[in-house]
Amino acid sequence: MSATEADVSGLLEEAVKSGLSRIAEASDLASLGQARAAVLGRKAALARARSALGGFDAEQRRELGRRANEARARLEGALEERERAFRAVEEKKRWEQERLDVTLPGDEPDLGGLHPLTKTIWEIVDIFVGLGYRVADGPEVELASYNFDALNFDSQHPSRSEQETYYIDDEREVLLRTHTSPVQMRVMEASKPPVYVVCPGRTYRRDVLDPTHLNSFAQIEGLAVDEGITMSDLKGTLQAFARELFGRDLDIRLRPHFFPFTEPSAEMDVLCFVCRGSGCRVCRQEGWIEILGCGMVNVPLLEWAGYDTERYTGFAFGLGAERVAALAHGVPDIRYFYENDLRFLSAFEGGMA
Ligand code: PHE
C-alpha cells in the first residue's frame, strides 16, 4: 500500500519535531555532529518522507517536495544556529585558556656573576694595565729552575723543602709553582727590556688551612725593567696603585724586608682605610695594613736573563689576591672565597671590588 499525502505530512511534521528536539539535546560540537547524521541522514524521517514522494502525481509531488524542502531548511537552520553557538563557546574557552598578557614582566633568569676574587684580580690587573703594563702568564706546573734557581734562592732555602712545596717528581725538578715570579723570569728570558708586565695566576704552597692561609691561592706580581729605574719609581708606582685600590688619600710606607730575588727588599703597608692610622680592629691596632712584598730586581736575575746590568735596573712586587679581596670587603676568613656558598658569593653581585 503506497503512502497517502497525510502519511507524508505526518512524517514531515515528525521529522521536524523529533529533529529539532534531537538538535536541542546536543551538548557540544561532537554530539551535534551525531545529531546532524541522525536528522539529515539516509535513515532519518525526512529521508523516508522524501523517498515516498515518488508515488504521488506531479502536483502533489511538487507540494510535498516544497514542504520537505522547508522541513530540511528548518532543520539545517537549527543545526547551523547550534553550531554557531557551540563554536562561540569553544572560542571563548580558548581565548581564556590561551590568554597572554604581553605587558606582564617576564620571568627573570638567575644570572651568574664573576667570582669576587676574579673581580678583585681584574681590578688590580686593570690598574697596572692603565699604567702601561701588559699581562703575562705561565705554567702552574713549573720547573724548579724557574721557580727557585733563576730567582736566586740558594740551594738550602727552606721554601724548597717538601714541607713547603708540592713536588711533582722525586728528583724535585718539577713542582707546583709557589709564586708567579717564574712567569717574570720567563718573560725576561724571552724579551729584551724595557719590560713592564703584571702576572696574575694560581700558586701553591704546602700550608695548613686557616683563616689567612690556603694551600692554593692567587697571586698578582709585577715587574718593571728599564733604563734608570730606581726605588722611587717603585714607591711612586705602588702609591698610585694603593690609592686607586683603597682610596685617594691613603699613604703607603715601605718596611725593610728580605727576598732572594730583590735587593733591597721591602714590605709595603697602606694606611688603614678604616681608622686612618689611629688603630682599630681591622689593622690590629697598627694603623697600617701590610699589602705586598717588593724590591729592586736583584742583579743576578738580570744577569740570568742576559740583560746589560750597567744599563738596566728594575723593580718587582707581589701580592696575594685573597688577602687583598678579604681586606677590601671585610671578609674575616679567606676560606669563604672557596666554599662556593651562594649566600656569600651573591653579596658581591654587581660592581667591582
Ligand atoms: N714572590 C714573592 C712571594 O711570593 C712576592 C714578591 C714578588 C716579593 C716580587 C717581592 C717582589 O712572596
Side-chain angles (χ1 to χ4, degrees), residues 12-273:
L12 285 174
E13 268 170 42
E14 173 57 24
V16 170
K17 205 172 138 220
S18 68
L20 289 180
S21 77
R22 180 78 211 259
I23 290 166
E25 273 164 24
S27 56
D28 55 21
L29 278 173
S31 52
L32 188 66
Q34 288 161 7
R36 173 188 299 275
V39 167
L40 299 180
R42 273 193 293 137
K43 289 184 186 146
L46 184 65
R48 274 186 280 130
R50 273 191 176 285
S51 56
L53 293 187
F56 292 96
D57 63 34
E59 200 168 322
Q60 280 176 318
R61 205 163 54 226
R62 203 175 311 120
E63 173 58 16
L64 287 172
R66 189 185 58 76
R67 282 166 56 192
N69 284 346
E70 259 175 32
R72 187 182 175 90
R74 277 191 69 184
L75 291 172
E76 278 180 341
L79 282 165
E80 224 169 86
E81 196 182 307
R82 291 290 279 164
E83 184 172 336
R84 230 178 295 126
F86 286 140
R87 287 209 186 281
V89 168
E90 206 143 283
E91 192 166 321
K92 197 162 161 240
K93 216 162 80 191
R94 268 188 59 193
W95 274 107
E96 291 296 330
Q97 277 169 356
E98 297 175 17
R99 180 198 297 269
L100 177 68
D101 184 348
V102 293
T103 67
L104 283 176
D107 291 337
E108 214 178 303
D110 271 344
L111 285 184
L114 287 178
H115 191 282
L117 254 182
T118 306
K119 285 189 204 171
T120 299
I121 292 168
W122 286 14
E123 190 178 10
I124 292 170
V125 167
D126 261 4
I127 294 171
F128 286 100
V129 167
L131 292 173
Y133 288 59
R134 79 179 173 82
V135 181
D137 64 14
E140 287 177 32
V141 176
E142 183 54 283
L143 298 172
S145 56
Y146 284 96
N147 193 84
F148 291 130
D149 301 330
L151 284 152
N152 198 37
F153 284 72
D154 75 53
S155 59
Q156 299 308 310
H157 195 283
S159 296
R160 293 184 185 255
S161 80
E162 291 186 15
Q163 280 72 49
E164 301 230 6
T165 296
Y166 293 110
Y167 284 94
I168 300 289
D169 62 341
D170 293 338
E171 289 70 39
R172 304 212 304 190
E173 283 168 4
V174 187
L175 44 72
L176 295 182
R177 68 183 178 193
T178 61
H179 48 181
T180 50
S181 306
V183 178
Q184 290 144 284
M185 299 316 291
R186 288 176 176 277
V187 168
M188 285 207 287
E189 185 181 44
S191 47
K192 291 187 166 35
V195 168
Y196 291 87
V197 285
V198 59
C199 311
R202 185 138 295 277
T203 53
Y204 304 84
R205 288 181 198 175
R206 259 189 203 276
D207 264 328
V208 175
L209 310 194
D210 69 24
T212 57
H213 292 87
L214 295 163
N215 61 354
S216 162
F217 58 103
Q219 268 200 342
I220 303 166
E221 296 200 342
L223 171 73
V225 180
D226 206 340
E227 277 181 73
I229 294 232
T230 69
M231 194 89 182
S232 57
D233 296 307
L234 167 62
K235 191 168 183 192
T237 301
L238 294 181
Q239 175 70 78
F241 159 69
R243 290 201 164 147
E244 196 67 42
L245 192 64
F246 294 107
R248 284 268 142 229
D249 52 350
L250 292 176
D251 282 339
I252 61 163
R253 72 176 185 189
L254 297 180
R255 276 180 294 105
H257 200 73
F258 173 82
F259 298 108
F261 33 86
T262 46
E263 183 59 35
S265 302
E267 282 191 318
M268 184 202 90
D269 301 338
V270 67
L271 193 68
C272 177
F273 46 83

